[in-house]
Structure formats: C-alpha cells, structure tokens
C-alpha cells in the first residue's frame, strides 16, 4: 500500500515539474527586441578626443530601450549589456537567438582617418561592395581579436584579411528584406527627426549580424572622429535625439509587423515627459534604399517576364531567393533551377521558379525547390503584378 502511495506521489511530482518547465519554455506573445550596445569593458571601440565609442553606444541603447518599454507594453526589451562590461561578439548574437528575438539592433559609432567624415549609416548583412563599407566591417569585427582563441571560435575568420570576407558573397539571408526595410526607416528618421546627414543603407560582412537568426541591423550613429559629431553624440541631448529616431523607426516597423501578423497595433500615444499631444507613430515613410549598390531605377513590382496570356487570371510561382544583385539567366546561385524569372520589389531582386495558373501544380513543385532553398514559398501574380 505504501509502495502504491509513493508511486502516485512520484507521478504527481513528475507532472508538476513538466508543467512548470513547459511554462518556462513557452514564449509569451510579446515581440522581443534585442538592443546591442557595441563594445564595452576592456574594448572601448573607436576613441574620440573626449569620449569613447562604447559610452555613446550604451547611452543611446539605454535611452532607446526606455522609450520602447514606456510606449510598447507588448514588447520585451533585452539588452546584450546594460553596463560597461565586455561581451564577446558571438555571445551577443547568441543572446538574441536564445530569447528568440524578433528584431536585433546593434548600435555603434563610426570613425575615419579624415576628420571631415560626418553622418549616419545603417548596415544589413551582405557583401561589402565598396572599400569604405569593408573598412567599417573590418574595424567592428576586429573586436574578436580581444577574445581568447578567436581563430578556432570563429572558424579561422581573420577580421583584418579581405579574403575572409568572401564568404559573405554566398550568403542566403532570409531576413534580408525586412532588415533592409528597417534600416531604411532608421535612416529616414535620422534625417527627419534628428537632422543628421543620411549616408544611406549599406551592406557589409559583420560577424555579429551573421549569427543572428532574425531581421538585424547595425547602426553607425555618426563619426567620433569628427569634432562636431563627437560633441553631439557625447551629449545627453544628442543621444536622446538618436534614440528617439531609432524609436520612431521601430514604431513604424512594429506596426507593419503587427498588421502582417494580424495583430492589433498596441501603442501608447503619449511619450513620457511629452505634452500629451505628441504622437509616437510618425507617418510611415516609404523606405528608400540609398545604397549605391542597390539600383532602384526600375518601377517596383513590375515583373520582367510578364505573363501576357491569362489576362486577369492568377499566376502562381515559387520564390526562392532575394538579393540586392541582379544575376544572369544561368547563374550558379539558382542551384540548377531553370528557367528562372525575376521581379523587382522594394529595391531588391526576387527570383522565382515555375509558373502556372494552377496552384496545385505549383504546390507539387514546392517540396523539390525547398530541398535546394528551404525558405522557398509561393507567390501569386495578376496581370504581372504581385498579389499581396
Ligand atoms: Zn563599433
């Protein structure tokens, strides 16, 4: 009898423990934002005449986080650091992956040999196509030289060697479009809200962005090597303006995200310390890609292989790849898929395979394409225009 009672007690404890751990694992419905203040501790980042990069980054990061926490009750803010401490580069990305972040913002301050360089840049992950962008990635990635055994941990990646960056050419980043979209919103706000010089949305091979599994951007808030900009970024007022600009961009991005997810947009309309009338959500600006590598001359959403027959009928295709670059008909990037067509949207080239007015027929082809491109999905067109 005693034995049976013990068994029951054991089973009950087991149930309680598993319910508890399930509760811990289940992600609540909050949008998770990771704010990464670059550098810290023994790593000062770029050094100005009066202030160090690590302090500017942290100041803006904390102000941004506070604004978001005060205005978005449905957003959980996670910092990679809240103090002046050293955090390894891999760990910053790992934190974002562990908390299953929806968005990752890394905040940095730029520096250049020329004291006249001035202005803001927002980077997404990609291959740097200019020396200038590559230089920024090299400088930011070089923090791993302060980590023990960096060569093994980063698989032989040498942040100083140009050859190491070739791997970014073959990168498939399924979050590229969202990252570029968010980066554009940030640059627009830097110009509009903070009155900064907009040096555009750019791409380069940043290690911290390579390892994050969500839309991610790396912001260079300005040049510490420029006396006027150093003064601005070192001031409370300057940091507040930069944080507010990123906050506005976040509000735009988040309301778009909520709409796509079919969620109600949750925002408080009053800023802390505001007069009660200021509206948090700035009018969503149409993101403009200013990077020179991304041509945007062609009208958006016009597909190049226009389906001339089947007027008004729905046409289904499989989209398997997105890139800021235009590739030829027989590019090896398609992994043997042929024929491939391409349309342009939001400044990016989107590559599709297959074409049919029968959705079932395209659905049959999807598993085969997914073996090559695991994130492939079906897109629908009518009269050559993508149907949302
Ligand atoms: Zn930095």
């Amino acid at each position: 009898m005693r034995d049976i009672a013990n068994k029951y007690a054991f089973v009950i404890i087991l149930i309680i423990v598993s319910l508890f751990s399930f509760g811990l694992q289940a992600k609540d419905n909050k949008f998770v934002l990771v704010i990464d203040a670059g550098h810290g501790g023994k790593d000062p980042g770029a050094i100005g005449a009066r202030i160090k990069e690590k302090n500017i980054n942290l100041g803006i990061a904390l102000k941004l986080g506070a604004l978001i926490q005060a205005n978005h009750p449905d957003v959980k803010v996670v910092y990679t650091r809240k103090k002046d401490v050293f955090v390894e580069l891999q760990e910053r990305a790992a934190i974002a992956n562990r908390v299953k972040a929806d968005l990752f913002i890394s905040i940095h301050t730029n520096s250049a040999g020329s004291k006249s360089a001035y202005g803001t840049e927002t980077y997404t992950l990609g291959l740097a196509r200019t020396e200038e962008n590559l230089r920024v990635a090299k400088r930011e990635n070089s923090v791993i030289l302060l980590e023990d055994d960096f060569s093994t941990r980063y698989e032989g990646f040498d942040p100083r060697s140009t050859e190491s960056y070739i791997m970014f050419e073959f990168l498939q980043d399924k979050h590229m479009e969202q990252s570029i979209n968010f980066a554009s919103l940030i640059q627009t706000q830097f110009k509009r809200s903070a009155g900064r010089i907009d040096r555009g949305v750019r791409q380069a091979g940043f290690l911290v962005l390579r390892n994050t599994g969500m839309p991610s951007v790396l912001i260079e808030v300005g040049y510490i090597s420029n006396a006027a900009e150093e003064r601005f970024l070192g001031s409370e007022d300057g940091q507040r303006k930069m944080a507010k600009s990123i906050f506005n961009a976040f509000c735009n991005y988040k309301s778009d995200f909520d709409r796509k997810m079919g969620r109600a947009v949750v925002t408080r309309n009053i800023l802390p310390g505001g007069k009660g009338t200021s509206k948090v959500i700035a009018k969503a600006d149409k993101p403009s890609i200013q990077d020179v590598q991304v041509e945007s001359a062609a009208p958006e959403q016009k597909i190049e292989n226009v389906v001339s027959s089947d007027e008004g009928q729905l046409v289904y295709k499989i989209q398997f790849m997105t890139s800021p670059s235009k590739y030829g008909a027989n590019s090896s990037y398609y992994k043997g898929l042929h024929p491939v067509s391409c349309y342009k949207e939001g400044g990016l080239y989107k590559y599709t395979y297959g074409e049919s007015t029968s959705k079932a027929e395209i659905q049959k082809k999807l598993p085969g394409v997914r073996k090559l491109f695991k994130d492939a999905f079906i897109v629908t067109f009518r009269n050559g225009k993508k149907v949302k």
Side-chain angles (χ1 to χ4, degrees):
M1 201 58 197
R2 189 107 160 264
D3 240 25
I4 291 171
N6 277 345
K7 255 183 207 160
Y8 274 121
F10 178 71
V11 168
I12 288 166
I13 288 168
L14 208 69
I15 291 170
I16 291 171
V17 167
S18 42
L19 279 176
F20 182 68
S21 64
F22 178 77
L24 283 181
Q25 276 167 15
K27 185 187 170 185
D28 52 21
N29 224 7
K30 286 195 170 186
F31 182 101
V32 181
L33 169 69
V34 170
I35 303 176
D36 173 45
H39 313 279
K42 66 180 176 186
D43 167 22
I47 297 174
R50 294 143 29 117
I51 193 168
K52 293 175 178 134
E53 177 190 350
K54 63 177 184 177
N55 299 323
I56 296 175
N57 301 344
L58 184 61
I60 296 173
L62 294 176
K63 287 175 179 68
L64 169 64
L67 273 174
I68 290 171
Q69 276 170 327
N71 291 282
H72 289 273
D74 61 332
V75 175
K76 180 179 168 188
V77 175
V78 176
Y79 299 92
T80 55
R81 68 178 179 103
K82 290 179 85 173
K83 293 179 296 194
D84 185 17
V85 289
F86 182 74
V87 182
E88 292 178 344
L89 213 55
Q90 242 171 12
E91 178 56 15
R92 295 169 189 265
I95 289 171
N97 293 334
R98 272 201 301 273
V99 299
K100 299 188 170 58
D102 294 291
L103 188 64
F104 179 84
I105 304 176
S106 190
I107 299 174
H108 287 261
T109 310
N110 221 334
S111 176
S114 155
K115 290 190 188 321
S116 58
Y118 190 92
T120 63
E121 297 157 14
T122 301
Y123 285 85
T124 62
L125 184 63
L127 180 75
R129 283 172 210 279
T130 67
E131 271 303 314
E132 192 181 51
N133 296 355
L134 179 63
R135 181 184 56 75
V136 175
K138 278 184 174 173
R139 188 170 53 71
E140 299 295 9
N141 290 336
S142 288
V143 301
I144 66 171
L145 302 177
L146 297 172
E147 298 179 20
D148 299 328
D149 201 19
F150 79 89
S151 188
T152 324
R153 301 184 57 205
Y154 295 89
E155 295 151 347
F157 185 90
D158 181 350
R160 298 156 296 187
S161 134
T162 302
E163 283 74 52
S164 281
Y165 289 82
I166 289 168
M167 68 174 191
F168 292 101
E169 172 83 73
F170 302 102
L171 195 90
Q172 283 303 326
D173 179 10
K174 65 176 170 180
H175 304 290
M176 184 193 281
E177 189 180 347
Q178 289 154 292
S179 303
I180 291 180
N181 178 30
F182 182 46
S184 308
L185 293 170
I186 293 170
Q187 284 303 122
T188 302
Q189 287 298 327
F190 280 158
K191 195 169 51 187
R192 294 237 173 127
S193 304
R196 310 312 293 165
I197 299 294
D198 170 16
R199 291 170 54 92
V201 172
R202 299 165 178 233
Q203 273 83 43
F206 291 95
L207 287 176
V208 70
L209 300 184
R210 183 189 65 165
N211 292 326
T212 53
M214 73 276 328
S216 309
V217 297
L218 185 145
I219 303 169
E220 296 284 354
V221 291
Y223 283 79
I224 203 168
S225 43
N226 177 284
E229 203 148 49
E230 182 189 14
R231 214 166 23 248
F232 175 78
L233 293 169
S235 72
E236 277 292 304
D237 182 55
Q239 291 180 9
R240 225 187 338 263
K241 280 183 177 145
M242 297 312 279
K244 178 71 194 324
S245 304
I246 305 169
F247 170 75
N248 287 345
F250 173 78
C251 293
N252 291 343
Y253 181 87
K254 173 71 169 40
S255 59
D256 217 41
F257 177 91
D258 288 337
R259 249 193 306 279
K260 281 180 191 145
M261 301 295 282
R263 286 190 200 165
V265 178
V266 185
T267 342
R268 292 185 189 129
N269 275 342
I270 300 162
L271 270 180
K275 298 223 169 64
T277 50
S278 55
K279 207 147 162 54
V280 169
I281 304 177
K283 196 173 171 293
D285 292 295
K286 187 146 185 59
S288 62
I289 313 275
Q290 278 137 23
D291 193 347
V292 284
Q293 291 97 55
V294 183
E295 305 147 42
S296 51
E300 292 191 356
Q301 289 212 7
K302 193 179 163 206
I303 57 167
E304 303 196 344
N305 298 353
V306 179
V307 185
S308 51
S309 58
D310 307 318
E311 270 293 297
Q313 245 191 316
L314 294 179
V315 174
Y316 303 94
K317 299 181 177 199
I318 298 169
Q319 184 171 318
F320 62 91
M321 190 171 97
T322 298
S323 169
S325 310
K326 177 92 192 272
Y327 302 115
N330 296 311
S331 168
S332 58
Y333 289 139
Y334 309 151
K335 300 183 184 175
L337 290 180
H338 188 83
V340 165
S341 61
C342 162
Y343 68 101
K344 199 165 179 185
E345 185 181 53
L348 292 170
Y349 295 96
K350 301 186 173 181
Y351 295 86
T352 62
Y353 169 72
E355 180 177 321
S356 175
T357 52
S358 152
K359 193 171 186 182
E361 196 179 305
I362 285 295
Q363 247 153 2
K364 246 185 266 168
K365 287 185 177 166
L366 187 60
V369 177
R370 280 200 174 146
K371 276 186 193 141
L372 301 168
F373 299 92
K374 69 178 170 53
D375 302 308
F377 58 94
I378 296 176
V379 278
T380 312
F381 293 88
R382 179 186 274 130
N383 293 333
K385 294 231 181 214
K386 193 167 111 179
V387 179
K388 291 272 173 188

